[in-house]
Amino acid sequence: MKKTCYRRVGCVPAIGLGTWGIGGGYWSADTSRDPQWIEAIKYAVERGLRLIDTAEMYGAGHAEELVGAALRGYPRDEVFIVTKVWPSHARHDDVIKAAQASAARLGTHIDLYLLHWPSDAAPICETVRAFEELVDRGVIRHFGVSNFTLAQLRQAEACAKKYELAAVENHYSLYNRRDDADLIPYAKASGIMYIAYTPLEKGAVARDPLLAEVGRRYGATPVQTALAWYVKHGVVPIPKAERREHIDEIAGAYAVELSDDDYAKIAAEIRRG
């Protein structure tokens, strides 16, 4: 299992597992496939996808319950759990309550706690103050933001007084590289972890002819080639997967080491945003 290292969080699994759609949808729980979902998360962890990304909104907290059930009994220091607080819960007391509820559903502390979207419910400094209190209480280890611009990230960063803002999670893929213009260079220079959600663009990456061409040189699929590109780029992709064959394909990206030339070729020739 490869790891990507950041000054503010240390070394984390280079590829993670997203859980949007597992356990339900937008504030709506679905328990009909719980055994299959738990087994899928367990299998992903066994295959080396040991960063698990979830949120209180996913399935109205049920996704967190499934992650907790899947990880029960697994060595805690071998997994990195990310979850998020919804922007309507961004006021100080609400953040504290939401984090405690998420930790209870997970059955453990939270490695990285993110504000899911910028919030109109509270000033960002009030949210960050609650995050720092949660670190002191041992409920979370690190905190950050999600779906933030660079300007918004820097505003949140300036609010932190006791601990550094550790991470940002945004939509990023080879087809959506807007953050390469400013946010990713800033994060890299500052030691901030960058998590890329929707890195496979709902299957579009799997059909990319250039990724297929490059991948053939490595015995890799387009998906594995793209994931290897993200790892070399220094971001942590978190594709969602439920089926064993999909999990196996994602985990197989760990074995792909792109040459500098192929990395540059992909970067130069795939430009879709």
Side-chain angles (χ1 to χ4, degrees):
M1 180 185 66
K2 293 180 184 175
K3 292 194 173 184
T4 303
C5 299
Y6 302 89
R7 181 177 61 79
R8 299 191 184 186
V9 296
C11 296
V12 300
I15 302 172
L17 179 74
T19 62
W20 166 243
I22 290 177
Y26 183 92
W27 290 109
S28 177
D30 175 4
T31 62
S32 65
R33 297 174 57 202
D34 282 5
Q36 296 96 313
W37 280 322
I38 291 170
E39 181 57 32
I41 296 167
K42 284 183 176 180
Y43 186 68
V45 171
E46 290 169 3
R47 295 289 283 115
L49 306 181
R50 295 180 185 169
L51 183 149
I52 309 295
D53 178 271
T54 189
E56 66 168 352
M57 179 268 281
Y58 299 173
H62 189 47
E64 292 175 325
E65 292 173 338
L66 293 171
V67 170
L71 297 180
R72 195 166 297 128
Y74 198 83
R76 182 63 182 86
D77 60 353
E78 293 186 15
V79 291
F80 190 94
I81 300 174
V82 183
T83 194
K84 312 175 198 74
V85 59
W86 195 243
S88 60
H89 297 159
R91 298 205 67 86
H92 176 276
D93 290 355
D94 292 335
V95 173
I96 300 296
K97 291 175 185 176
Q100 291 172 331
S102 287
R105 287 189 290 267
L106 290 163
T108 186
H109 66 271
I110 297 160
D111 292 299
L112 175 62
Y113 197 46
L114 307 175
L115 177 60
H116 207 147
W117 291 86
S119 175
D120 294 328
I124 186 61
C125 285
E126 180 176 345
T127 305
V128 170
R129 181 166 58 88
F131 285 164
E132 293 189 314
E133 186 174 323
L134 287 165
V135 175
D136 285 338
R137 294 187 184 192
V139 179
I140 70 175
R141 293 178 56 230
H142 305 285
F143 59 85
V145 293
S146 181
N147 298 298
F148 270 49
T149 65
L150 175 58
Q152 291 169 326
L153 181 146
R154 295 190 71 173
Q155 182 183 6
E157 195 178 20
C159 296
K161 305 303 180 186
K162 296 183 69 176
Y163 307 102
E164 292 182 302
L165 183 145
V168 58
E169 179 179 317
N170 281 358
H171 178 194
Y172 181 85
S173 75
L174 281 163
Y175 297 173
N176 176 20
R177 291 159 56 193
R178 288 187 295 270
D179 280 351
D180 276 336
D182 54 10
L183 199 154
I184 287 178
Y186 179 81
K188 288 181 177 180
S190 304
I192 295 172
M193 176 185 183
Y194 186 100
I195 303 173
Y197 74 78
T198 319
L200 303 181
E201 291 295 351
K202 301 178 181 179
V205 162
R207 301 184 293 274
D208 189 279
L210 177 63
L211 293 173
E213 173 197 327
V214 173
R216 280 193 288 272
R217 292 198 281 275
Y218 299 86
T221 67
V223 164
Q224 291 168 337
T225 305
L227 292 171
W229 190 93
Y230 299 133
V231 172
K232 194 174 180 71
H233 197 52
V235 305
V236 178
I238 51 167
K240 183 268 186 93
E242 297 181 34
R243 300 191 311 274
R244 281 196 169 211
E245 59 269 26
H246 192 193
I247 293 168
D248 286 337
E249 182 180 26
I250 291 167
Y254 277 133
V256 181
E257 294 277 0
L258 292 178
S259 69
D260 291 344
D261 286 346
D262 282 333
Y263 169 81
K265 179 181 178 69
I266 292 169
E269 295 187 24
I270 300 182
R271 295 188 179 279
R272 305 190 184 181

